[in-house]
């Protein structure tokens, strides 16, 4: 990596944010990533933090896949700062220093003379003695062991303050033994520390604090003037799966919430800089960097030999991708009495060639008589990051007409923006259909998937499957028609391309085929590269000819309209850590078919349950209870066991009903227990104004002298339900979920506790109280067993009047006292019991709404019962809008129905006796749909009154879109 070019403009054209790449290295900066040898371990160790095989047992039959892990350092020749070294590798004495046990887990399998740190630096024309600064991402042996060669040189060694403290603490006490070693942690070294989350170390070099793997881990952002941004994150992620697929490292991440947050920080940085993220030991990613450096002539990495007498492949980075046209939704109906027969034409264009002919022209099967076609039809072809894909939707009935039955198009400007060449996996994309340059009206969405099993690798420039942007398509016989790929079931399959894809070159000029000239795109309004990066729009007739591109029909001829949820159901996925089988890959949930809310509850739940602390321990914990004395027996049984014992498999027995518990008994146990311990007659909880099924801590529970022990037990019971994946059949007030998470509560949460007080406080916030004649002081008055008591909210609060200037502070303190202060002992006892089973940091990834779902689960919602117990204002039950509303709700998955119920009533749980017992702030109140608002308005809810204000929309599709938007953006609506 060397000479200067305008890397900023290139990054900006890809969508980078200027402020994140503005700190560029000065001209003349050079950088080398130096190979320092290879380790090997069980593949499971770096993706889950646990292993089966060792080097000494790797030839046995039970062994998992083994993973090769490169070690590297980065040497930067900086014109202003001199030589800067990022990390040092393990050092030459690695096996002896680490000892036989640990070396058997992480074995060094390749370490030759050129991998020694001195020799690697010397290969760049420098000496290790010339290094002016050393930066260590973290001080584990495989990243800092090479520091021993710098002893006595007084070179500044930069490390985060937390990392240096942790390293010396480990050496002194034996904590986290084996990863920090004394021989390179020399007290006489010239250690330099900092405590900030981010520092600009030098021009073009930024250091980021990335806790997770260790408390003081660092990342290096390097903005090179020619080659763009590289982000070295060390062992925050050992391998690509940790980063791209979100697979955690198990116990190798010492702080899981911090690890999760650091991953998100780097993903945001990657998006803003369009840089390449380099993990600590990912072989494929390292090879991408080494191959690029080799082609640029900047470095021979020691063990890399050029192919064939110095000839180096300098072609583009290419890999095979699988591109699937999944479905279209809500297409425009052009005929009054007939629905279209729909197919998609897919055109694949070379990078950076606005007017070139496509490399491939492909077609899906026809799906007849529908506005919602489902194909799930895959194509395979080689692609670069810059490859452009144009997908057009056509009505086959009108394909020979002038507009070719055009129903809309979608352009993927570059494959790399969807699935970059440095990551694998599958990405789903949903895009609105767009008009062509002929301005034909369109509507609807197109659902696509792109997947790749390998990273992009360089190929020779003359590779057969690539064509230059200016190459012409070979002429073919005018009768040539596209054939189905082997993935499709159709009798018309006659020929296949070598890669199994459906391949149809564009026909050349000939009889019956007019010359196909690439159309010129319309002149953009603003063609500045930083503000207009859209691909040129093309005519709906471009590169299409009825003789050369006709889809093949499906064998059955039957159109099956599948929901977005159904189309994802292919092979089942097994999560061996959680011992569950699902249709969804737990490592990487797909976007298509999943109603992704901003809270992203499903992904967080997979992450939470994959942690080692949430795994059931070996052995059994037996609990025996009597049905008629369930509360007392459960209290005695649960409290007598230590927390570690309760984390073993629960074996519940009801006395007199002995049998084996395979899950059903324990589910019934938690169901009955939740009814017993949350029964308000025990004086531990009381009803909120929301009704008899939403509960809050009873501030007067002290009438029972053992009430704090009971709250500790209830906390344990809730923790057990979460740990063993059972649900508690009762729901707390929203304020309690916030308090469990350590969040502040305020006037918003007061709405469901005391509606009258909430209304008064809201009025005070919104109006000037100077002339209102209020005589409030900083005092909270409340009634306890008929006696009025007062508590000062501030010192001498009874003599501190509430004014316009201090009213916000008064309202804040009053709400905090009502919601938290009066129940502080109960809350702390409950949390103590909960955190004995589930550590508080593990719950930190959830918000209060997600915590409610984690504890209470998704209740079964009977939509027919909901409809039967609904009242209408301004509508009749048979009105079109009402019918559309219930049709949409019935079609939704349970998670979405629960979120609607939570959105409209304040809780995702239904009363025990169904919707007829739905409670409002003033007693029983049925669910109500009221006609309110214009067709451009969004639905609005009044949760205190179980009311949904539903505008008179003109179609079901508009209604559902507006309602879903409201569910996912509740902060923007008048939710009372």
């Amino acid at each position: 990596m060397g000479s200067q070019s305008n890397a900023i403009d290139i990054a900006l054209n890809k969508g980078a944010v200027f402020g994140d790449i503005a700190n560029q290295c000065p001209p003349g900066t050079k950088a080398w990533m130096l190979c320092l040898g290879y380790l090997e371990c069980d593949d499971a160790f770096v993706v889950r933090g646990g292993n089966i095989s060792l080097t000494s047992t790797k030839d046995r039959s039970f062994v998992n896949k083994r993973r090769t892990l490169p070690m590297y350092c980065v040497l930067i020749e900086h014109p202003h700062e001199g030589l800067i070294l990022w990390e040092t590798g393990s050092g030459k004495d690695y096996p002896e220093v680490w000892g036989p046990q640990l070396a058997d887990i992480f074995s060094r399998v390749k370490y030759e003379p050129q991998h020694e740190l001195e020799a690697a630096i010397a290969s760049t024309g420098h000496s290790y003695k010339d290094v002016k600064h050393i930066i260590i991402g973290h001080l584990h042996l495989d990243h800092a062991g090479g520091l021993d060669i710098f002893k006595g040189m007084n070179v500044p060694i930069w490390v985060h303050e937390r990392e240096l403290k942790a390293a010396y603490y480990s050496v002194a006490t034996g904590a986290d033994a084996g990863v920090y070693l004394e021989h390179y942690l020399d007290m006489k070294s010239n250690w330099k520390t900092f405590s900030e989350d981010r520092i600009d170390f030098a021009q073009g070099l930024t250091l980021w604090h990335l806790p997770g793997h260790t408390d003081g881990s660092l990342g290096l952002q390097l903005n090179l003037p020619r080659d763009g941004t590289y982000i070295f994150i060390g062992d925050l992620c050992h391998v690509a799966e940790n980063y791209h697929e979100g697979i955690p490292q198990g116990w190798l991440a010492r702080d899981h919430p911090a690890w999760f947050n650091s991953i998100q920080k780097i993903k945001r940085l990657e998006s803003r800089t369009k840089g390449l993220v380099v993990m600590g030991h990912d072989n494929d990613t390292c090879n991408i960097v080494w191959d690029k450096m080799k082609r640029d002539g900047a470095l021979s990495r020691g063990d890399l030999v050029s192919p064939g007498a110095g000839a180096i492949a300098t072609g583009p980075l290419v890999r095979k991708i699988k591109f699937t046209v999944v479905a279209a939704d809500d297409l425009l109906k052009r005929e009054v009495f007939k629905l279209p027969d729909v197919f998609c034409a897919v055109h694949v264009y070379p990078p950076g060639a606005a007017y070139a002919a496509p490399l491939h022209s492909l077609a899906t099967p026809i799906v007849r008589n529908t506005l919602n076609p489902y194909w799930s039809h895959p194509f395979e072809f080689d692609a670069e990051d810059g490859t452009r894909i144009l997908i057009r939707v056509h009505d086959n009935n009108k394909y020979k007409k002038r507009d070719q039955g055009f129903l809309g198009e979608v352009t993927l400007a570059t494959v790399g923006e969807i699935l970059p060449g440095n990551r694998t996996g599958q990405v789903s994309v949903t895009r609105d259909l767009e008009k062509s340059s002929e301005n034909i009206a369109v509507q609807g969405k197109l659902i696509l998937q792109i997947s790749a099993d390998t990273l992009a690798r360089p190929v020779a420039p003359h590779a057969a499957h690539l064509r230059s942007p200016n190459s012409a398509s070979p002429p073919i016989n005018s009768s040539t028609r596209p054939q189905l790929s082997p993935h499709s079931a159709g009798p018309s399959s006659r020929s296949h391309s070598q890669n199994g894809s459906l391949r149809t070159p564009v026909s050349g000029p000939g009889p019956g085929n007019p010359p196909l000239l690439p159309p010129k795109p319309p002149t953009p309004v603003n063609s500045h590269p930083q503000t207009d990066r859209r691909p040129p729009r093309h005519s709906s007739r471009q590169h299409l000819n009825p003789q050369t591109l006709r889809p093949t029909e499906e064998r059955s001829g039957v159109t099956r309209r599948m929901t977005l949820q159904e189309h994802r159901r292919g092979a089942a996925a097994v999560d061996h850590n959680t011992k569950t089988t699902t249709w969804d890959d737990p490592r990487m949930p797909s976007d298509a078919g999943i109603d992704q809310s901003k809270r992203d509850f499903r992904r967080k739940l997979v992450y939470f349950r994959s942690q080692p602390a949430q795994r059931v321990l070996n052995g059994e914990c037996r609990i025996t209870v009597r049905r008629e004395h369930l509360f007392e027996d459960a209290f005695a049984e649960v409290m007598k066991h230590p927390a570690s014992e309760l984390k073993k498999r629960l074996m519940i027995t009801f006395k007199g009903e002995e049998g084996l518990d395979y899950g059903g008994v324990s589910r019934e146990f938690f169901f009955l227990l939740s009814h017993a311990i949350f029964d308000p007659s025990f004086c531990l909880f009381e009803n909120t104004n929301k009704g008899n099924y939403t509960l809050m801590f009873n501030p007067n529970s002290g009438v029972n002298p053992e009430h704090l022990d009971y709250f500790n037990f209830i906390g344990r019971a809730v923790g057990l339900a979460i740990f063993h994946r059972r649900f508690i059949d009762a729901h707390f007030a929203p304020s309690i979920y916030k308090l469990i998470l350590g969040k502040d509560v305020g006037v918003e949460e007061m709405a469901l506790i005391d509606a009258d007080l909430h209304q008064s406080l809201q009025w005070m916030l919104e109006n000037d109280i100077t002339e209102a004649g209020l005589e409030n002081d900083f005092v909270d008055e409340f009634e306890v067993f008929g006696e009025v008591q007062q508590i000062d909210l501030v010192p001498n609060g009874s003599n501190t009047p509430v004014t316009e200037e201090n009213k916000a502070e008064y309202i804040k303190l009053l709400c905090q006292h009502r919601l938290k202060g009066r129940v502080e002992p109960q809350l702390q006892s409950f949390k103590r019991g909960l955190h004995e089973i589930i550590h508080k940091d593990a719950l930190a990834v959830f918000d209060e709404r997600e915590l409610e779902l984690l504890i209470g689960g998704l209740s079964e919602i009977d939509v027919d019962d909901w409809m039967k117990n609904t009242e209408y204002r301004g509508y009749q039950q048979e009105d079109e809008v009402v019918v559309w509303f219930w049709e949409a709700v019935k079609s939704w998955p349970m998670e979405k129905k629960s979120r609607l119920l939570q959105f409209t009533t304040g809780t995702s749980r239904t009363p025990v006796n169904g919707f007829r017992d739905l409670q409002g702030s003033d007693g029983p109140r049925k669910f109500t749909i009221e006609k309110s608002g214009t067709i451009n308005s969004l639905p609005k809810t009044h949760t205190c009154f179980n009311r949904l204000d539903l505008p008179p929309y003109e179609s079901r599709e508009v209604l559902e879109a507006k309602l879903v938007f409201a569910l996912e953006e509740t902060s923007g609506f008048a939710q009372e």
Side-chain angles (χ1 to χ4, degrees), residues 244-264:
H244 295 306
E245 301 178 27
I247 299 177
Q249 301 164 301
W251 67 267
L252 293 178
R254 274 75 174 169
D255 186 337
H256 288 90
W259 182 85
F260 185 84
N261 291 333
S262 293
I263 293 288
Q264 300 311 308

PDB file of all heavy atoms in Angstrom, residues 244-264:
ATOM      1  N   HIS A 244     -19.446 -10.939  11.028  1.00  0.00           N
ATOM      2  CA  HIS A 244     -20.469 -10.813   9.998  1.00  0.00           C
ATOM      3  C   HIS A 244     -21.762 -11.514  10.372  1.00  0.00           C
ATOM      4  O   HIS A 244     -22.841 -11.057  10.008  1.00  0.00           O
ATOM      5  CB  HIS A 244     -19.955 -11.371   8.675  1.00  0.00           C
ATOM      6  CG  HIS A 244     -18.804 -10.597   8.107  1.00  0.00           C
ATOM      7  ND1 HIS A 244     -18.868  -9.243   7.887  1.00  0.00           N
ATOM      8  CD2 HIS A 244     -17.559 -10.975   7.730  1.00  0.00           C
ATOM      9  CE1 HIS A 244     -17.720  -8.816   7.390  1.00  0.00           C
ATOM     10  NE2 HIS A 244     -16.912  -9.850   7.289  1.00  0.00           N
ATOM     11  N   GLU A 245     -21.684 -12.642  11.078  1.00  0.00           N
ATOM     12  CA  GLU A 245     -22.878 -13.405  11.399  1.00  0.00           C
ATOM     13  C   GLU A 245     -23.299 -13.229  12.850  1.00  0.00           C
ATOM     14  O   GLU A 245     -24.289 -13.815  13.280  1.00  0.00           O
ATOM     15  CB  GLU A 245     -22.651 -14.883  11.083  1.00  0.00           C
ATOM     16  CG  GLU A 245     -22.314 -15.130   9.611  1.00  0.00           C
ATOM     17  CD  GLU A 245     -22.032 -16.596   9.321  1.00  0.00           C
ATOM     18  OE1 GLU A 245     -22.563 -17.450  10.043  1.00  0.00           O
ATOM     19  OE2 GLU A 245     -21.283 -16.874   8.372  1.00  0.00           O
ATOM     20  N   GLY A 246     -22.551 -12.449  13.619  1.00  0.00           N
ATOM     21  CA  GLY A 246     -22.930 -12.169  15.002  1.00  0.00           C
ATOM     22  C   GLY A 246     -22.824 -13.365  15.918  1.00  0.00           C
ATOM     23  O   GLY A 246     -23.507 -13.435  16.942  1.00  0.00           O
ATOM     24  N   ILE A 247     -21.974 -14.349  15.566  1.00  0.00           N
ATOM     25  CA  ILE A 247     -21.817 -15.533  16.418  1.00  0.00           C
ATOM     26  C   ILE A 247     -20.865 -15.182  17.557  1.00  0.00           C
ATOM     27  O   ILE A 247     -19.704 -14.850  17.325  1.00  0.00           O
ATOM     28  CB  ILE A 247     -21.265 -16.722  15.624  1.00  0.00           C
ATOM     29  CG1 ILE A 247     -22.232 -17.082  14.493  1.00  0.00           C
ATOM     30  CG2 ILE A 247     -21.032 -17.917  16.534  1.00  0.00           C
ATOM     31  CD1 ILE A 247     -21.750 -18.203  13.607  1.00  0.00           C
ATOM     32  N   PRO A 248     -21.336 -15.215  18.787  1.00  0.00           N
ATOM     33  CA  PRO A 248     -20.475 -14.794  19.903  1.00  0.00           C
ATOM     34  C   PRO A 248     -19.353 -15.781  20.176  1.00  0.00           C
ATOM     35  O   PRO A 248     -19.358 -16.920  19.706  1.00  0.00           O
ATOM     36  CB  PRO A 248     -21.449 -14.714  21.082  1.00  0.00           C
ATOM     37  CG  PRO A 248     -22.541 -15.656  20.715  1.00  0.00           C
ATOM     38  CD  PRO A 248     -22.670 -15.619  19.225  1.00  0.00           C
ATOM     39  N   GLN A 249     -18.388 -15.324  20.975  1.00  0.00           N
ATOM     40  CA  GLN A 249     -17.195 -16.120  21.256  1.00  0.00           C
ATOM     41  C   GLN A 249     -17.311 -16.950  22.528  1.00  0.00           C
ATOM     42  O   GLN A 249     -16.324 -17.500  22.989  1.00  0.00           O
ATOM     43  CB  GLN A 249     -15.993 -15.175  21.411  1.00  0.00           C
ATOM     44  CG  GLN A 249     -15.709 -14.313  20.202  1.00  0.00           C
ATOM     45  CD  GLN A 249     -14.788 -13.165  20.548  1.00  0.00           C
ATOM     46  OE1 GLN A 249     -15.089 -12.342  21.408  1.00  0.00           O
ATOM     47  NE2 GLN A 249     -13.653 -13.091  19.887  1.00  0.00           N
ATOM     48  N   GLY A 250     -18.505 -17.007  23.110  1.00  0.00           N
ATOM     49  CA  GLY A 250     -18.624 -17.720  24.371  1.00  0.00           C
ATOM     50  C   GLY A 250     -17.840 -17.030  25.461  1.00  0.00           C
ATOM     51  O   GLY A 250     -17.815 -15.814  25.572  1.00  0.00           O
ATOM     52  N   TRP A 251     -17.152 -17.820  26.286  1.00  0.00           N
ATOM     53  CA  TRP A 251     -16.435 -17.214  27.416  1.00  0.00           C
ATOM     54  C   TRP A 251     -15.223 -16.401  26.969  1.00  0.00           C
ATOM     55  O   TRP A 251     -14.651 -15.635  27.758  1.00  0.00           O
ATOM     56  CB  TRP A 251     -16.002 -18.292  28.422  1.00  0.00           C
ATOM     57  CG  TRP A 251     -14.960 -19.241  27.906  1.00  0.00           C
ATOM     58  CD1 TRP A 251     -15.180 -20.432  27.321  1.00  0.00           C
ATOM     59  CD2 TRP A 251     -13.538 -19.065  27.933  1.00  0.00           C
ATOM     60  NE1 TRP A 251     -13.990 -21.018  26.969  1.00  0.00           N
ATOM     61  CE2 TRP A 251     -12.954 -20.203  27.334  1.00  0.00           C
ATOM     62  CE3 TRP A 251     -12.687 -18.054  28.399  1.00  0.00           C
ATOM     63  CZ2 TRP A 251     -11.598 -20.362  27.192  1.00  0.00           C
ATOM     64  CZ3 TRP A 251     -11.320 -18.211  28.252  1.00  0.00           C
ATOM     65  CH2 TRP A 251     -10.778 -19.353  27.657  1.00  0.00           C
ATOM     66  N   LEU A 252     -14.802 -16.535  25.712  1.00  0.00           N
ATOM     67  CA  LEU A 252     -13.678 -15.731  25.236  1.00  0.00           C
ATOM     68  C   LEU A 252     -14.023 -14.243  25.218  1.00  0.00           C
ATOM     69  O   LEU A 252     -13.124 -13.405  25.176  1.00  0.00           O
ATOM     70  CB  LEU A 252     -13.257 -16.185  23.837  1.00  0.00           C
ATOM     71  CG  LEU A 252     -12.648 -17.588  23.747  1.00  0.00           C
ATOM     72  CD1 LEU A 252     -12.316 -17.929  22.319  1.00  0.00           C
ATOM     73  CD2 LEU A 252     -11.396 -17.695  24.603  1.00  0.00           C
ATOM     74  N   ALA A 253     -15.316 -13.922  25.208  1.00  0.00           N
ATOM     75  CA  ALA A 253     -15.729 -12.532  25.403  1.00  0.00           C
ATOM     76  C   ALA A 253     -16.001 -12.358  26.894  1.00  0.00           C
ATOM     77  O   ALA A 253     -16.993 -12.846  27.414  1.00  0.00           O
ATOM     78  CB  ALA A 253     -16.969 -12.212  24.585  1.00  0.00           C
ATOM     79  N   ARG A 254     -15.100 -11.692  27.580  1.00  0.00           N
ATOM     80  CA  ARG A 254     -15.221 -11.586  29.036  1.00  0.00           C
ATOM     81  C   ARG A 254     -16.440 -10.777  29.464  1.00  0.00           C
ATOM     82  O   ARG A 254     -16.981 -10.976  30.539  1.00  0.00           O
ATOM     83  CB  ARG A 254     -13.956 -10.945  29.631  1.00  0.00           C
ATOM     84  CG  ARG A 254     -12.819 -11.925  29.929  1.00  0.00           C
ATOM     85  CD  ARG A 254     -12.118 -12.377  28.675  1.00  0.00           C
ATOM     86  NE  ARG A 254     -10.945 -13.205  28.956  1.00  0.00           N
ATOM     87  CZ  ARG A 254     -10.290 -13.881  28.042  1.00  0.00           C
ATOM     88  NH1 ARG A 254     -10.685 -13.827  26.778  1.00  0.00           N
ATOM     89  NH2 ARG A 254      -9.241 -14.606  28.347  1.00  0.00           N
ATOM     90  N   ASP A 255     -16.856  -9.829  28.631  1.00  0.00           N
ATOM     91  CA  ASP A 255     -17.986  -8.953  28.956  1.00  0.00           C
ATOM     92  C   ASP A 255     -18.929  -8.962  27.756  1.00  0.00           C
ATOM     93  O   ASP A 255     -18.722  -8.270  26.782  1.00  0.00           O
ATOM     94  CB  ASP A 255     -17.480  -7.534  29.246  1.00  0.00           C
ATOM     95  CG  ASP A 255     -18.589  -6.602  29.728  1.00  0.00           C
ATOM     96  OD1 ASP A 255     -19.761  -6.884  29.428  1.00  0.00           O
ATOM     97  OD2 ASP A 255     -18.276  -5.590  30.378  1.00  0.00           O
ATOM     98  N   HIS A 256     -20.006  -9.762  27.830  1.00  0.00           N
ATOM     99  CA  HIS A 256     -20.853  -9.964  26.662  1.00  0.00           C
ATOM    100  C   HIS A 256     -21.634  -8.728  26.242  1.00  0.00           C
ATOM    101  O   HIS A 256     -21.691  -8.419  25.048  1.00  0.00           O
ATOM    102  CB  HIS A 256     -21.791 -11.147  26.904  1.00  0.00           C
ATOM    103  CG  HIS A 256     -21.087 -12.460  26.888  1.00  0.00           C
ATOM    104  ND1 HIS A 256     -20.546 -13.022  28.027  1.00  0.00           N
ATOM    105  CD2 HIS A 256     -20.791 -13.310  25.869  1.00  0.00           C
ATOM    106  CE1 HIS A 256     -19.970 -14.176  27.708  1.00  0.00           C
ATOM    107  NE2 HIS A 256     -20.106 -14.367  26.412  1.00  0.00           N
ATOM    108  N   PRO A 257     -22.274  -7.975  27.147  1.00  0.00           N
ATOM    109  CA  PRO A 257     -22.936  -6.750  26.684  1.00  0.00           C
ATOM    110  C   PRO A 257     -21.965  -5.761  26.054  1.00  0.00           C
ATOM    111  O   PRO A 257     -22.278  -5.133  25.041  1.00  0.00           O
ATOM    112  CB  PRO A 257     -23.565  -6.183  27.974  1.00  0.00           C
ATOM    113  CG  PRO A 257     -23.771  -7.376  28.838  1.00  0.00           C
ATOM    114  CD  PRO A 257     -22.602  -8.269  28.562  1.00  0.00           C
ATOM    115  N   ALA A 258     -20.770  -5.631  26.640  1.00  0.00           N
ATOM    116  CA  ALA A 258     -19.775  -4.726  26.050  1.00  0.00           C
ATOM    117  C   ALA A 258     -19.336  -5.241  24.680  1.00  0.00           C
ATOM    118  O   ALA A 258     -19.138  -4.457  23.749  1.00  0.00           O
ATOM    119  CB  ALA A 258     -18.571  -4.590  26.981  1.00  0.00           C
ATOM    120  N   TRP A 259     -19.172  -6.560  24.549  1.00  0.00           N
ATOM    121  CA  TRP A 259     -18.810  -7.152  23.252  1.00  0.00           C
ATOM    122  C   TRP A 259     -19.863  -6.831  22.210  1.00  0.00           C
ATOM    123  O   TRP A 259     -19.546  -6.415  21.097  1.00  0.00           O
ATOM    124  CB  TRP A 259     -18.662  -8.663  23.412  1.00  0.00           C
ATOM    125  CG  TRP A 259     -18.251  -9.394  22.173  1.00  0.00           C
ATOM    126  CD1 TRP A 259     -16.994  -9.599  21.698  1.00  0.00           C
ATOM    127  CD2 TRP A 259     -19.127 -10.041  21.224  1.00  0.00           C
ATOM    128  NE1 TRP A 259     -17.026 -10.316  20.522  1.00  0.00           N
ATOM    129  CE2 TRP A 259     -18.316 -10.598  20.204  1.00  0.00           C
ATOM    130  CE3 TRP A 259     -20.505 -10.182  21.137  1.00  0.00           C
ATOM    131  CZ2 TRP A 259     -18.842 -11.302  19.124  1.00  0.00           C
ATOM    132  CZ3 TRP A 259     -21.038 -10.877  20.052  1.00  0.00           C
ATOM    133  CH2 TRP A 259     -20.211 -11.439  19.073  1.00  0.00           C
ATOM    134  N   PHE A 260     -21.115  -7.015  22.566  1.00  0.00           N
ATOM    135  CA  PHE A 260     -22.219  -6.734  21.643  1.00  0.00           C
ATOM    136  C   PHE A 260     -22.199  -5.268  21.213  1.00  0.00           C
ATOM    137  O   PHE A 260     -22.342  -4.952  20.023  1.00  0.00           O
ATOM    138  CB  PHE A 260     -23.543  -7.060  22.341  1.00  0.00           C
ATOM    139  CG  PHE A 260     -24.756  -6.932  21.476  1.00  0.00           C
ATOM    140  CD1 PHE A 260     -25.163  -7.960  20.657  1.00  0.00           C
ATOM    141  CD2 PHE A 260     -25.500  -5.768  21.485  1.00  0.00           C
ATOM    142  CE1 PHE A 260     -26.286  -7.833  19.858  1.00  0.00           C
ATOM    143  CE2 PHE A 260     -26.620  -5.628  20.690  1.00  0.00           C
ATOM    144  CZ  PHE A 260     -27.018  -6.670  19.877  1.00  0.00           C
ATOM    145  N   ASN A 261     -22.002  -4.351  22.157  1.00  0.00           N
ATOM    146  CA  ASN A 261     -21.987  -2.922  21.832  1.00  0.00           C
ATOM    147  C   ASN A 261     -20.779  -2.554  20.968  1.00  0.00           C
ATOM    148  O   ASN A 261     -20.876  -1.707  20.072  1.00  0.00           O
ATOM    149  CB  ASN A 261     -21.995  -2.096  23.119  1.00  0.00           C
ATOM    150  CG  ASN A 261     -23.304  -2.205  23.864  1.00  0.00           C
ATOM    151  OD1 ASN A 261     -24.345  -2.443  23.255  1.00  0.00           O
ATOM    152  ND2 ASN A 261     -23.276  -2.053  25.175  1.00  0.00           N
ATOM    153  N   SER A 262     -19.621  -3.170  21.242  1.00  0.00           N
ATOM    154  CA  SER A 262     -18.435  -2.877  20.434  1.00  0.00           C
ATOM    155  C   SER A 262     -18.610  -3.355  18.999  1.00  0.00           C
ATOM    156  O   SER A 262     -18.170  -2.691  18.054  1.00  0.00           O
ATOM    157  CB  SER A 262     -17.195  -3.530  21.069  1.00  0.00           C
ATOM    158  OG  SER A 262     -16.885  -2.940  22.316  1.00  0.00           O
ATOM    159  N   ILE A 263     -19.250  -4.519  18.818  1.00  0.00           N
ATOM    160  CA  ILE A 263     -19.523  -5.007  17.470  1.00  0.00           C
ATOM    161  C   ILE A 263     -20.375  -3.998  16.715  1.00  0.00           C
ATOM    162  O   ILE A 263     -20.119  -3.663  15.548  1.00  0.00           O
ATOM    163  CB  ILE A 263     -20.240  -6.376  17.517  1.00  0.00           C
ATOM    164  CG1 ILE A 263     -19.309  -7.462  18.067  1.00  0.00           C
ATOM    165  CG2 ILE A 263     -20.745  -6.765  16.122  1.00  0.00           C
ATOM    166  CD1 ILE A 263     -18.217  -7.870  17.143  1.00  0.00           C
ATOM    167  N   GLN A 264     -21.410  -3.495  17.380  1.00  0.00           N
ATOM    168  CA  GLN A 264     -22.275  -2.515  16.713  1.00  0.00           C
ATOM    169  C   GLN A 264     -21.508  -1.241  16.389  1.00  0.00           C
ATOM    170  O   GLN A 264     -21.719  -0.619  15.340  1.00  0.00           O
ATOM    171  CB  GLN A 264     -23.487  -2.200  17.607  1.00  0.00           C
ATOM    172  CG  GLN A 264     -24.355  -3.404  17.944  1.00  0.00           C
ATOM    173  CD  GLN A 264     -24.733  -4.227  16.732  1.00  0.00           C
ATOM    174  OE1 GLN A 264     -25.241  -3.690  15.748  1.00  0.00           O
ATOM    175  NE2 GLN A 264     -24.467  -5.523  16.788  1.00  0.00           N
TER     176      GLN A 264
END
